Amino acid sequence: MKHEELKGLGLSDEQVDRVMGIHGTDVNDLKGQVSQLTTERDALKQRATDSDKQLNELKAAHKDDKDFQAEIDKLKADNKAKDDEASKQLKETKLNYQTELALVKAGALNTKAASALIDKDKLSLDEKGNVTG
């Protein structure tokens, strides 16, 4: 959908701006959902690949019970760290999406430029998923 197409339908500049704002909100909402799902999918794929690799290495390296238990403890710690990193990435993706959506709703014409001016370290999501800060 382009401004020229809407003007060609006989809409005024104000009407075109309103339609584009509504359309932008819908598009950004869908982009955010795709981004979030892609991040989740990629994290899960990587986790499955890493787990399979670790199990194969564990089978090959199994010597006695002490070595086995130490290796299991190491793998548990590594998997926890990976889970924490995946959660952090997902939270960051959600925050970026919600920030961009808030900018669109506030009427920002260039969300990338406006986003660059925001100190993202001070932003967070509340329980409802709204940006605060």
Side-chain angles (χ1 to χ4, degrees), residues 49-75:
T49 301
D50 291 345
S51 294
D52 289 343
K53 181 181 173 188
Q54 291 170 346
L55 287 173
N56 290 333
E57 289 173 359
L58 185 60
K59 286 178 186 177
H62 177 55
K63 295 175 185 165
D64 65 32
D65 288 339
K66 287 183 183 180
D67 289 341
F68 188 65
Q69 187 61 44
E71 192 67 25
I72 289 174
D73 292 342
K74 180 183 176 291
L75 291 176

Short mmCIF file of all heavy atoms in Angstrom, two decimals, residues 49-75:
data_model
loop_
_atom_site.label_atom_id
_atom_site.label_comp_id
_atom_site.label_asym_id
_atom_site.label_seq_id
_atom_site.Cartn_x
_atom_site.Cartn_y
_atom_site.Cartn_z
N THR A 49 20.45 -29.17 18.43
CA THR A 49 21.71 -29.54 17.79
C THR A 49 22.82 -29.69 18.82
O THR A 49 23.58 -30.67 18.80
CB THR A 49 22.11 -28.47 16.74
OG1 THR A 49 21.07 -28.38 15.77
CG2 THR A 49 23.41 -28.83 16.06
N ASP A 50 22.90 -28.74 19.74
CA ASP A 50 23.93 -28.79 20.78
C ASP A 50 23.75 -30.00 21.69
O ASP A 50 24.72 -30.66 22.06
CB ASP A 50 23.93 -27.51 21.61
CG ASP A 50 24.42 -26.30 20.82
OD1 ASP A 50 25.03 -26.49 19.75
OD2 ASP A 50 24.19 -25.17 21.30
N SER A 51 22.52 -30.29 22.04
CA SER A 51 22.25 -31.43 22.92
C SER A 51 22.64 -32.75 22.27
O SER A 51 23.26 -33.61 22.90
CB SER A 51 20.78 -31.47 23.32
OG SER A 51 20.45 -30.36 24.11
N ASP A 52 22.32 -32.90 20.97
CA ASP A 52 22.70 -34.12 20.26
C ASP A 52 24.22 -34.26 20.20
O ASP A 52 24.77 -35.34 20.42
CB ASP A 52 22.14 -34.11 18.84
CG ASP A 52 20.63 -34.32 18.81
OD1 ASP A 52 20.07 -34.78 19.83
OD2 ASP A 52 20.03 -34.02 17.76
N LYS A 53 24.89 -33.16 19.92
CA LYS A 53 26.35 -33.18 19.85
C LYS A 53 26.94 -33.55 21.21
O LYS A 53 27.87 -34.36 21.30
CB LYS A 53 26.86 -31.81 19.40
CG LYS A 53 28.36 -31.72 19.28
CD LYS A 53 28.78 -30.33 18.85
CE LYS A 53 30.30 -30.20 18.89
NZ LYS A 53 30.74 -28.84 18.67
N GLN A 54 26.41 -32.96 22.26
CA GLN A 54 26.91 -33.24 23.61
C GLN A 54 26.72 -34.71 23.98
O GLN A 54 27.61 -35.33 24.57
CB GLN A 54 26.21 -32.35 24.64
CG GLN A 54 26.58 -30.91 24.53
CD GLN A 54 25.69 -30.01 25.39
OE1 GLN A 54 24.64 -30.43 25.86
NE2 GLN A 54 26.13 -28.78 25.60
N LEU A 55 25.57 -35.26 23.65
CA LEU A 55 25.31 -36.66 23.97
C LEU A 55 26.27 -37.58 23.22
O LEU A 55 26.78 -38.56 23.79
CB LEU A 55 23.87 -37.03 23.66
CG LEU A 55 22.83 -36.45 24.61
CD1 LEU A 55 21.42 -36.74 24.10
CD2 LEU A 55 23.01 -37.01 26.01
N ASN A 56 26.52 -37.28 21.96
CA ASN A 56 27.46 -38.10 21.19
C ASN A 56 28.88 -38.01 21.76
O ASN A 56 29.59 -39.01 21.83
CB ASN A 56 27.44 -37.70 19.72
CG ASN A 56 26.15 -38.09 19.04
OD1 ASN A 56 25.49 -39.04 19.45
ND2 ASN A 56 25.77 -37.36 18.01
N GLU A 57 29.27 -36.81 22.15
CA GLU A 57 30.59 -36.64 22.75
C GLU A 57 30.67 -37.38 24.09
O GLU A 57 31.69 -37.97 24.42
CB GLU A 57 30.90 -35.15 22.96
CG GLU A 57 31.16 -34.40 21.68
CD GLU A 57 31.30 -32.90 21.88
OE1 GLU A 57 31.17 -32.42 23.04
OE2 GLU A 57 31.52 -32.20 20.88
N LEU A 58 29.58 -37.33 24.83
CA LEU A 58 29.54 -38.00 26.13
C LEU A 58 29.67 -39.52 25.96
O LEU A 58 30.41 -40.16 26.70
CB LEU A 58 28.24 -37.65 26.86
CG LEU A 58 28.08 -38.16 28.28
CD1 LEU A 58 29.18 -37.62 29.16
CD2 LEU A 58 26.73 -37.76 28.82
N LYS A 59 28.99 -40.07 24.99
CA LYS A 59 29.09 -41.51 24.73
C LYS A 59 30.52 -41.89 24.37
O LYS A 59 31.04 -42.91 24.82
CB LYS A 59 28.15 -41.91 23.60
CG LYS A 59 26.70 -41.95 23.99
CD LYS A 59 25.84 -42.32 22.80
CE LYS A 59 24.37 -42.23 23.11
NZ LYS A 59 23.53 -42.53 21.95
N ALA A 60 31.16 -41.07 23.54
CA ALA A 60 32.51 -41.38 23.09
C ALA A 60 33.53 -41.22 24.21
O ALA A 60 34.53 -41.93 24.27
CB ALA A 60 32.88 -40.48 21.92
N ALA A 61 33.29 -40.28 25.11
CA ALA A 61 34.26 -39.98 26.14
C ALA A 61 34.01 -40.71 27.46
O ALA A 61 34.79 -40.57 28.40
CB ALA A 61 34.27 -38.47 26.41
N HIS A 62 32.97 -41.49 27.55
CA HIS A 62 32.61 -42.16 28.81
C HIS A 62 33.69 -43.18 29.20
O HIS A 62 33.96 -44.13 28.50
CB HIS A 62 31.26 -42.86 28.66
CG HIS A 62 30.85 -43.62 29.87
ND1 HIS A 62 30.76 -43.06 31.11
CD2 HIS A 62 30.52 -44.92 30.04
CE1 HIS A 62 30.39 -43.97 31.99
NE2 HIS A 62 30.24 -45.12 31.36
N LYS A 63 34.30 -42.93 30.36
CA LYS A 63 35.37 -43.81 30.82
C LYS A 63 34.99 -44.50 32.12
O LYS A 63 35.06 -45.72 32.24
CB LYS A 63 36.66 -43.01 31.00
CG LYS A 63 37.19 -42.46 29.70
CD LYS A 63 38.39 -41.59 29.92
CE LYS A 63 38.79 -40.96 28.58
NZ LYS A 63 39.68 -39.87 28.73
N ASP A 64 34.64 -43.73 33.12
CA ASP A 64 34.16 -44.32 34.37
C ASP A 64 33.11 -43.41 34.98
O ASP A 64 32.83 -42.34 34.47
CB ASP A 64 35.32 -44.60 35.34
CG ASP A 64 36.02 -43.33 35.81
OD1 ASP A 64 35.36 -42.28 35.93
OD2 ASP A 64 37.23 -43.38 36.08
N ASP A 65 32.51 -43.82 36.07
CA ASP A 65 31.39 -43.10 36.64
C ASP A 65 31.75 -41.69 37.10
O ASP A 65 30.93 -40.77 36.98
CB ASP A 65 30.78 -43.88 37.80
CG ASP A 65 30.02 -45.11 37.32
OD1 ASP A 65 29.63 -45.15 36.13
OD2 ASP A 65 29.82 -46.01 38.13
N LYS A 66 32.95 -41.49 37.65
CA LYS A 66 33.33 -40.14 38.11
C LYS A 66 33.43 -39.19 36.93
O LYS A 66 32.94 -38.06 36.99
CB LYS A 66 34.65 -40.19 38.88
CG LYS A 66 34.54 -40.80 40.25
CD LYS A 66 35.87 -40.74 40.96
CE LYS A 66 35.76 -41.42 42.32
NZ LYS A 66 37.02 -41.39 43.04
N ASP A 67 34.07 -39.63 35.87
CA ASP A 67 34.18 -38.79 34.68
C ASP A 67 32.79 -38.53 34.10
O ASP A 67 32.48 -37.42 33.66
CB ASP A 67 35.04 -39.46 33.61
CG ASP A 67 36.51 -39.49 33.98
OD1 ASP A 67 36.91 -38.69 34.85
OD2 ASP A 67 37.25 -40.31 33.40
N PHE A 68 31.98 -39.55 34.13
CA PHE A 68 30.62 -39.44 33.60
C PHE A 68 29.81 -38.41 34.38
O PHE A 68 29.15 -37.55 33.80
CB PHE A 68 29.96 -40.82 33.65
CG PHE A 68 28.64 -40.89 32.96
CD1 PHE A 68 28.53 -40.69 31.60
CD2 PHE A 68 27.49 -41.16 33.69
CE1 PHE A 68 27.30 -40.77 30.96
CE2 PHE A 68 26.26 -41.23 33.07
CZ PHE A 68 26.16 -41.04 31.70
N GLN A 69 29.85 -38.47 35.69
CA GLN A 69 29.09 -37.53 36.52
C GLN A 69 29.60 -36.10 36.35
O GLN A 69 28.81 -35.16 36.27
CB GLN A 69 29.16 -37.93 38.00
CG GLN A 69 28.26 -37.11 38.90
CD GLN A 69 26.80 -37.23 38.53
OE1 GLN A 69 26.28 -38.30 38.26
NE2 GLN A 69 26.09 -36.10 38.50
N ALA A 70 30.91 -35.94 36.27
CA ALA A 70 31.48 -34.60 36.07
C ALA A 70 31.04 -34.04 34.72
O ALA A 70 30.72 -32.85 34.61
CB ALA A 70 33.00 -34.66 36.15
N GLU A 71 31.00 -34.88 33.71
CA GLU A 71 30.58 -34.44 32.38
C GLU A 71 29.10 -34.07 32.38
O GLU A 71 28.70 -33.08 31.77
CB GLU A 71 30.85 -35.55 31.36
CG GLU A 71 30.73 -35.12 29.93
CD GLU A 71 31.80 -34.12 29.50
OE1 GLU A 71 32.89 -34.09 30.09
OE2 GLU A 71 31.52 -33.35 28.57
N ILE A 72 28.29 -34.84 33.08
CA ILE A 72 26.86 -34.52 33.18
C ILE A 72 26.66 -33.17 33.87
O ILE A 72 25.87 -32.33 33.41
CB ILE A 72 26.10 -35.64 33.93
CG1 ILE A 72 26.01 -36.88 33.06
CG2 ILE A 72 24.71 -35.17 34.36
CD1 ILE A 72 25.41 -38.08 33.76
N ASP A 73 27.38 -32.92 34.95
CA ASP A 73 27.27 -31.64 35.66
C ASP A 73 27.68 -30.49 34.76
O ASP A 73 27.04 -29.43 34.75
CB ASP A 73 28.13 -31.66 36.92
CG ASP A 73 27.58 -32.62 37.98
OD1 ASP A 73 26.37 -32.98 37.88
OD2 ASP A 73 28.35 -33.00 38.88
N LYS A 74 28.74 -30.69 33.98
CA LYS A 74 29.21 -29.65 33.06
C LYS A 74 28.14 -29.38 31.99
O LYS A 74 27.85 -28.22 31.67
CB LYS A 74 30.52 -30.07 32.40
CG LYS A 74 31.07 -29.06 31.42
CD LYS A 74 32.33 -29.60 30.76
CE LYS A 74 32.85 -28.67 29.70
NZ LYS A 74 32.00 -28.56 28.53
N LEU A 75 27.55 -30.44 31.45
CA LEU A 75 26.53 -30.27 30.42
C LEU A 75 25.29 -29.57 30.98
O LEU A 75 24.67 -28.74 30.30
CB LEU A 75 26.15 -31.62 29.83
CG LEU A 75 27.22 -32.30 28.97
CD1 LEU A 75 26.75 -33.68 28.53
CD2 LEU A 75 27.57 -31.44 27.76
#
